[in-house]
Amino acid sequence: MLRALRGRNYQLFFGGQLISLIGNFLTATAMAWMVFRLATEAGHHQQAGRWLGVVGFATQFPLFLIAPFAGVWIDRIDRRRLLVLTQALATVQSLSLAALAFTHIEYWQVVALAAFQGLINAFDIPARQAFLVQIVADREDLPNAIALNSSMVHAARLIGPAAAGFLIYYFGEKVCFLIDGISYLAVIAALLAMRLAPMPPRPISRGILAELTEGARYVWGFTPIRAVLMLMATVSLTVTPAFLTLAPIFADALSGQGRGSQALGWIMASSGLGALIGAIRLARRRSVLGLGRVIAGAAISYSIALALFGVLGAIGGSGGLMLILAMVVIGISGYAMITTFASANTVIQTLSDDDKRGRVMSFFSMAFMGMTPFGALLAGYAADKWMGGGVVGSSRVLWICAAIAVGSAAMFAAQLPALRAIVRPVYVRKGIIREVARGIQTATSAVEGQRD
């Protein structure tokens, strides 16, 4: 299971990324809690959802704008130099947050720095995925490297939020930002220490817009890919951003004695643990057959689990039992989440033509993460403006989003017989059955690379 770590370049990549990703999740958790705290201290406790929604929108909206173009650009430039630049800019972003938090930070500054990080991620996320192929010397080790990368992301997602909860409680959010800023130095050092063969230049025969137009026509004209992307876009617009945006409000309601930040850390860590288990299970799967049913079933389970989490949040209570139940439910949702998106990623990657895969995956990035900022903004505004505010309003938003996602998954399930008739000849022509294990491991890592 560790054979990819025999390569020096991957050892450097793995170590640097693990340190940095833990820092990333420290900052993500600390930023969410700080926005909730600032809203409360300003006397806008009932409007905290709206504040959180705006920050969530600012963080990921740049990805929606740039993702269709980033994939084309990344194929034309040196990926290591690009990653060094993105990591350096991310260092500046995190240390700026820390400096402001140590003195006096205002809400508009958080929004501006969140948007700056979103702009960085729009280039960094697809570049890291493409760079992984370049640093694994033996292509036979590539599936293992991708599976290890996915496990690394989930391990960081398990450690980071839990550590953030305690650091925030005892030292404040500023320490999380400072640690994150320093952690990027590990990635930069690892990148500079790698020994890489130069990549041959990619011939450029057409303009970016022409290539994007061709990719868009291919995605929309191929019914199975279009159906999967539509489901992913719906889930990413509804339940996913509703939970991520409103989680601090639920954590505050489920905790006691001012320990909301710790509760938030445990809730997010539980989601990471469930996703880690789901990633390991997917990496061991040996057949692509039946993944359509898996996608539909997992999407429904994911939505129902988050709806149940909303019920527990509405009941509240600081005795500890509700928090434990909420952690269990969120662990289940994390498992279902990674199963949904990684399975969808697998289907799309295995069905796509080789010469269009990069552009197809850029559209998947838009569906998976590009819709999230709109959902975050809508969920935060709806919770405060239309649903009564506070944890009750947040719970109602989560229930409505879950109902929409379940309906979309049911519609997708109803299309499966027709989709199978289109998909099967493609699998036969491409001999994809023999490559299933590799495809699923690739997809699992790709999805988690997008969430980072």
Side-chain angles (χ1 to χ4, degrees), residues 237-248:
L237 182 65
T238 54
V239 285
T240 297
F243 165 67
L244 294 176
T245 301
L246 303 174

Side-chain angles (χ1 to χ4, degrees), residues 232 278-279 282 291 295 337-347 364 368 439-440 443-445 447-448:
M232 295 304 99
L282 276 178
L291 275 184
I295 293 170
M337 177 274 298
I338 188 60
T339 301
T340 301
F341 287 105
S343 298
N345 195 310
T346 299
V347 170
F364 179 82
F368 178 54
I440 289 178
T444 301
S445 177
V447 168
E448 287 314 305

Side-chain angles (χ1 to χ4, degrees), residues 157-158 161-162 263-277 323-324 326-335:
R157 190 164 173 245
L158 176 62
L264 178 62
W266 285 118
I267 288 170
M268 301 309 292
S270 298
S271 177
L273 177 60
L276 175 61
I277 296 172
L323 177 58
I324 293 173
M327 289 169 58
V328 172
V329 169
I330 286 302
I332 295 172
S333 77
Y335 179 94

Side-chain angles (χ1 to χ4, degrees), residues 72-92:
V72 179
W73 289 334
I74 288 167
D75 284 337
R76 301 182 178 188
I77 59 179
D78 185 285
R79 292 163 187 165
R80 174 163 61 174
R81 291 181 182 177
L82 175 61
L83 287 172
V84 170
L85 175 61
T86 59
Q87 299 303 298
L89 292 174
T91 302
V92 173

Side-chain angles (χ1 to χ4, degrees), residues 281-300:
R281 181 179 179 276
L282 276 178
R284 294 171 59 88
R285 186 183 172 94
R286 295 183 178 274
S287 176
V288 74
L289 299 178
L291 275 184
R293 293 192 301 272
V294 171
I295 293 170
I300 291 173

Side-chain angles (χ1 to χ4, degrees), residues 85-95 116-117 120 180-181 184:
L85 175 61
T86 59
Q87 299 303 298
L89 292 174
T91 302
V92 173
Q93 189 266 355
S94 292
L95 292 181
F116 182 49
Q117 184 62 55
I120 297 169
D180 184 29
Y184 286 111

Side-chain angles (χ1 to χ4, degrees), residues 6 14 29 46 49 80 93 109 113 124 126 142 145 220 233 237 255 297 316 338 351 354-355 361 417 444:
R6 295 176 299 185
F14 188 92
T29 306
Q46 292 298 106
R80 174 163 61 174
Q93 189 266 355
Q109 295 169 325
L113 287 171
D124 182 73
L142 184 58
W220 189 255
L237 182 65
S255 66
I338 188 60
L351 286 175
D354 292 341
D355 63 335
M361 295 315 295
T444 301

